[in-house]
């Protein structure tokens, strides 16, 4: 993370000393997405829920990271759930792509890792979908909440898991 931030600062410092053609070339190398991510990752790390950890396999690629959620309450207490997040080039106009890597029996996560979380939807009927004002912090807090207050058995993506819960809460 510091590597990309350092690169951005270094390039900003070099702009004044280069010709205008060379400066515009260096500006093109760092996308709007990457500039946003430098700020958002710093904010995310400062406001990360205590049940979450973020890992960047490559510190030069802030657009690809892994999230580990370890719920401390509810049905999933003590579990460890891995998510893979990829932030597309069109970010922040489109939401990040998130997939659950841990196989889980959850009404809002399929067995193949698809996630039903309104803020990850580009278009939402209820108006709670993605908006350019949302950030990675919102995504992480939303994923964390899937294991507590956003656990939704009434409008499931994984219908079998929701029906199992309705039939037998103890074995669920």
């Amino acid at each position: 993370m510091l590597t990309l931030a350092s690169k951005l600062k270094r390039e900003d410092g070099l702009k004044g000393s280069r010709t205008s053609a060379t400066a515009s070339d260096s500006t093109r190398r760092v996308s709007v997405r990457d500039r946003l991510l430098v700020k958002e990752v710093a904010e995310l790390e400062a406001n990360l829920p205590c049940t979450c950890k973020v890992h960047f396999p490559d510190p030069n690629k802030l657009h690809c990271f892994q999230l580990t959620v370890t719920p401390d309450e509810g049905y999933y207490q003590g579990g460890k759930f891995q998510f893979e997040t990829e932030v597309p080039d069109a970010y922040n106009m489109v939401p990040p792509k998130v997939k659950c890597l841990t196989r889980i029996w959850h009404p809002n996560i399929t067995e193949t890792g698809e996630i039903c979380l309104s803020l990850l939807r580009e278009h939402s009927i209820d108006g709670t979908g993605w908006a350019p004002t949302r950030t990675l912090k919102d995504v992480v807090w939303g994923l964390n909440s899937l294991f507590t207050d956003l656990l939704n058995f009434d409008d499931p993506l994984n219908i079998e898991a929701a029906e199992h819960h309705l039939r037998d809460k103890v074995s669920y």
Side-chain angles (χ1 to χ4, degrees):
M1 289 168 287
L2 296 177
T3 308
L4 184 56
S6 300
K7 179 179 177 185
L8 291 174
K9 286 179 185 174
R10 192 169 47 249
E11 286 183 1
D12 284 344
L14 291 175
K15 280 184 188 177
S17 63
R18 294 181 179 176
T19 65
S20 61
T22 309
S24 65
D25 287 345
S26 71
T27 305
R28 254 185 281 149
R29 284 187 219 141
V30 180
S31 68
V32 171
R33 174 198 65 185
D34 290 342
R35 288 184 182 277
L36 279 171
L37 289 178
V38 168
K39 292 175 187 169
E40 287 190 22
V41 166
E43 178 189 0
L44 173 64
E45 289 180 332
N47 297 293
L48 200 61
C50 63
T51 55
C52 295
K53 290 185 180 169
V54 178
H55 171 67
F56 293 88
D58 183 345
N60 288 311
K61 294 182 181 178
L62 295 182
H63 62 279
C64 296
F65 65 91
Q66 295 172 346
L67 172 70
T68 303
V69 178
T70 311
D72 58 3
E73 61 181 271
Y75 290 110
Y76 302 96
Q77 182 177 1
K80 189 174 184 180
F81 306 98
Q82 300 281 333
F83 294 89
E84 182 177 69
T85 304
E86 186 172 328
V87 181
D89 289 334
Y91 181 80
N92 67 346
M93 298 309 288
V94 298
K97 306 291 182 213
V98 182
K99 183 175 182 173
C100 183
L101 302 177
T102 306
R103 194 160 182 207
I104 182 174
W105 191 240
H106 191 290
N108 308 113
I109 302 173
T110 66
E111 292 183 64
T112 58
E114 296 171 73
I115 300 164
C116 179
L117 184 62
S118 60
L119 68 89
L120 292 177
R121 284 189 232 140
E122 193 166 345
H123 305 289
S124 178
I125 295 169
D126 62 5
T128 60
W130 185 258
T133 55
R134 295 199 182 265
T135 65
L136 291 179
K137 182 180 81 171
D138 299 322
V139 173
V140 169
W141 279 86
L143 291 169
N144 186 58
S145 295
L146 282 177
F147 297 99
T148 56
D149 55 330
L150 288 182
L151 183 60
N152 186 353
F153 293 99
D154 298 326
D155 184 22
L157 180 61
N158 183 342
I159 296 168
E160 289 179 48
E163 288 174 349
H164 181 191
H165 178 265
L166 290 173
R167 271 192 325 272
D168 188 1
K169 291 180 175 135
V170 174
S171 72
Y172 182 83

